[in-house]
Amino acid sequence: MTKPENEEHLVLTLFITGASANSVRAVNNIRTICNTHIPDSYTLEIVDVYLRPELAQVEQIIALPTLIRRSPAPERRFVGDLSDTKKVLAGLGIETRDNDY
């Protein structure tokens, strides 16, 4: 099993735009990545900016979908549908063996 480098619980927020194709892909991709690699070590909040535009404004979200890794620090942001699994894993600090993804 793989874990974040410092074995801390990941706290993630994904900002999406309703049920657009990119948003649906981003939700599916991040859930698959997390459930596969760190099933008991993450919390994922999904924020639809159509329903909660004030949160997108506070977070200064300018492109969607956007994933924010809030914890462990430092905060990291990822823009797009999160389909590049290798890049997302590296950015989240999740160590893998080459055959894990």
Side-chain angles (χ1 to χ4, degrees), residues 1-4 28-42 85 89 92 94-97 99-101:
M1 176 178 276
T2 58
K3 293 189 182 267
N28 290 336
N29 288 337
I30 194 61
R31 283 187 174 154
T32 298
I33 289 168
C34 290
N35 288 335
T36 299
H37 297 281
I38 53 166
D40 298 320
S41 298
Y42 78 98
T85 300
L89 288 169
L92 292 176
I94 300 171
E95 294 180 0
T96 64
R97 295 179 306 271
N99 61 356
D100 275 355
Y101 48 88

Side-chain angles (χ1 to χ4, degrees), residues 74-93:
E75 182 178 283
R76 303 253 349 233
R77 291 179 181 231
F78 309 83
V79 176
D81 67 6
L82 309 171
S83 59
D84 187 341
T85 300
K86 189 174 185 179
K87 184 176 179 180
V88 174
L89 288 169
L92 292 176

Side-chain angles (χ1 to χ4, degrees), residues 36-49:
T36 299
H37 297 281
I38 53 166
D40 298 320
S41 298
Y42 78 98
T43 302
L44 175 63
E45 176 186 17
I46 298 172
V47 177
D48 185 338
V49 298

Side-chain angles (χ1 to χ4, degrees), residues 6-81:
N6 54 8
E7 298 187 20
E8 291 185 42
H9 188 86
L10 287 179
V11 178
L12 308 168
T13 304
L14 178 62
F15 288 84
I16 62 169
T17 51
S20 71
N22 277 344
S23 293
V24 170
R25 271 193 304 276
V27 170
N28 290 336
N29 288 337
I30 194 61
R31 283 187 174 154
T32 298
I33 289 168
C34 290
N35 288 335
T36 299
H37 297 281
I38 53 166
D40 298 320
S41 298
Y42 78 98
T43 302
L44 175 63
E45 176 186 17
I46 298 172
V47 177
D48 185 338
V49 298
Y50 290 146
L51 301 176
R52 309 221 24 222
E54 72 283 358
L55 290 179
Q57 184 176 10
V58 168
E59 291 292 342
Q60 299 179 1
I61 303 297
I62 58 172
L64 295 163
T66 294
L67 177 69
I68 302 175
R69 182 188 76 182
R70 298 187 181 282
S71 178
E75 182 178 283
R76 303 253 349 233
R77 291 179 181 231
F78 309 83
V79 176
D81 67 6

